[in-house]
Amino acid sequence: MSHNQVSASQEKEMDVYPSRLHSEPRLLKRQDPVVYSDWTPDASITLEQSEFYERNGYLFLEGFFDREELQQYQAEARSLQVTARESEKDEVIREPGGDEVRSVFAVHHSHAVFQELSQHPRLLAIVEYLLGSETYIHQSRINYKPGFTGKEFYWHSDFETWHVEDGMPRMRALSCSIALEDNYPFNGPLMVVPGSHKEFVACVGKTPDNHFKDSLRKQEYGVPDHDSLTRLVKEGGIDTPVGKAGSIVLFDCNIMHGSNSNITPMPRSNIFMVYNSVENKIVQPYSGQSPRPEYIAARDSR
């Protein structure tokens, strides 16, 4: 029986990435490909770019969107930030210890501009090459990191959370971060650990019920232990892929990443689109708990 023929119940039973189950952290080897397509001259990225993504787990593309497209996204994001301040919707996440807007989720559902962005032909061509299939949006959001007060996002692997709390079976998803302002090394940009996507850090600590209500503000479960993180950084270092507004970073679902707080006057906000393969649809959460809400984790491709 091929992997694609395995039923959801069987997939659930053969958890190859167990996490938050043991009293000690573990480092497990990745059991899945990184790039799911064979490169040809017709591919949407160069051979060098494909090999870089395979080796490092991310790809930075400067000036991906033109000025007209970017201005449209910037205007919509600024407007959303203003309305979100007065919103009581669950999709609006506040900063820990305050009322400032940290993130707004499911923007591809609530705003036609971002729905169109999620289906951008040039972007989809790269995503579908890397994941080797058609895709759907597992999650979308805007992260706001204003000057002086923007808080950090601690080190984590997205897949660890998506696997344990959402039921994503395998590492066949990626994120696209779109810079709405210029990203500098000093205004809290995305930091990644190259090569860390090849190992899975199985974390400790049983997941509390309704964990998402706190973790989206400040994550305390599903984060790597210091020893594992130190080893990964010693082996791969830390990269900060930064550039002008309109640039994008594509990064594998399992790469270790995070960002510092922003104490500079320069704001940093980014649109995140998470693409999952249609052949990797999520099942019941591996934690055995209730699924997180649809605005955080889409459970089908509609």
Side-chain angles (χ1 to χ4, degrees):
M1 179 180 290
S2 72
H3 175 69
N4 290 341
Q5 294 172 314
V6 174
S7 70
S9 61
Q10 290 172 306
E11 183 69 83
K12 177 69 173 63
E13 291 171 3
M14 29 186 305
D15 182 2
V16 295
Y17 300 111
S19 187
R20 309 189 203 179
L21 297 176
H22 304 286
S23 58
E24 297 292 333
R26 302 180 180 188
L27 279 173
L28 307 175
K29 288 295 182 185
R30 184 186 184 109
Q31 301 296 310
D32 300 302
V34 177
V35 177
Y36 282 79
S37 300
D38 294 325
W39 187 87
T40 70
D42 296 327
S44 51
I45 55 177
T46 67
L47 177 60
E48 291 75 18
Q49 289 171 327
S50 182
E51 291 176 341
F52 185 94
Y53 185 89
E54 162 73 34
R55 182 172 62 254
N56 294 288
Y58 79 94
L59 183 64
F60 174 73
L61 299 174
E62 180 80 68
F64 187 84
F65 294 106
D66 62 35
R67 180 181 295 273
E68 183 177 342
E69 291 173 315
L70 177 62
Q71 287 177 340
Q72 190 180 21
Y73 306 148
Q74 288 172 324
E76 197 75 7
R78 282 193 294 266
S79 174
L80 179 56
Q81 187 177 23
V82 172
T83 57
R85 289 187 184 124
E86 306 301 323
S87 175
E88 299 295 326
K89 291 183 178 179
D90 291 339
E91 290 88 339
V92 177
I93 310 301
R94 311 285 174 179
E95 289 284 12
D99 292 325
E100 189 67 38
V101 177
R102 179 176 176 86
S103 305
V104 180
F105 278 75
V107 294
H108 75 293
H109 277 317
S110 57
H111 290 71
V113 168
F114 299 131
Q115 171 67 29
E116 186 176 341
L117 166 60
S118 73
Q119 300 171 348
H120 194 284
R122 285 195 300 123
L123 178 57
L124 273 187
I126 300 174
V127 168
E128 291 180 357
Y129 165 77
L130 292 173
L131 298 181
S133 71
E134 293 183 2
T135 61
Y136 69 96
I137 297 293
H138 173 73
Q139 181 188 103
S140 69
R141 68 189 187 276
I142 298 179
N143 285 348
Y144 295 100
K145 194 176 282 191
F148 300 114
T149 60
K151 299 294 190 298
E152 74 279 358
F153 288 82
Y154 193 72
W155 293 105
H156 63 285
S157 153
D158 288 328
F159 178 75
E160 196 279 342
T161 295
W162 298 341
H163 183 69
V164 174
E165 297 188 37
D166 297 335
M168 182 179 286
R170 309 302 289 239
M171 296 177 182
R172 198 171 180 179
L174 60 80
S175 293
C176 176
S177 173
I178 301 155
L180 292 175
E181 285 108 8
D182 295 349
N183 279 216
Y184 302 98
F186 44 73
N187 69 336
L190 178 72
M191 300 185 296
V192 298
V193 181
S196 61
H197 61 304
K198 298 289 184 73
E199 293 189 278
F200 176 75
V201 179
C203 302
V204 299
K206 186 178 184 300
T207 314
D209 290 336
N210 294 319
H211 178 233
F212 69 93
K213 293 183 179 180
D214 296 316
S215 66
L216 298 179
R217 296 177 70 138
K218 183 178 181 181
Q219 188 166 356
E220 295 180 348
Y221 292 84
V223 297
D225 62 288
H226 289 181
D227 288 344
S228 296
L229 183 60
T230 299
R231 179 190 145 181
L232 292 173
V233 171
K234 281 184 176 179
E235 292 177 353
I238 297 175
D239 284 358
T240 53
V242 295
K244 296 289 186 181
S247 301
I248 68 171
V249 184
L250 297 156
F251 57 100
D252 180 82
C253 61
N254 188 49
I255 195 169
M256 200 61 67
H257 64 287
S259 64
N260 290 322
S261 60
N262 182 17
I263 60 172
T264 75
M266 294 83 154
R268 174 188 175 263
S269 56
N270 292 58
I271 305 170
F272 283 84
M273 295 287 175
V274 177
Y275 294 89
N276 187 31
S277 167
V278 296
E279 298 176 15
N280 191 41
K281 291 179 181 179
I282 56 182
V283 293
Q284 286 300 302
Y286 286 83
S287 63
Q289 295 167 316
S290 298
R292 296 196 298 176
E294 188 77 16
Y295 68 86
I296 300 174
R299 301 203 67 81
D300 60 44
S301 57
R302 288 178 294 176

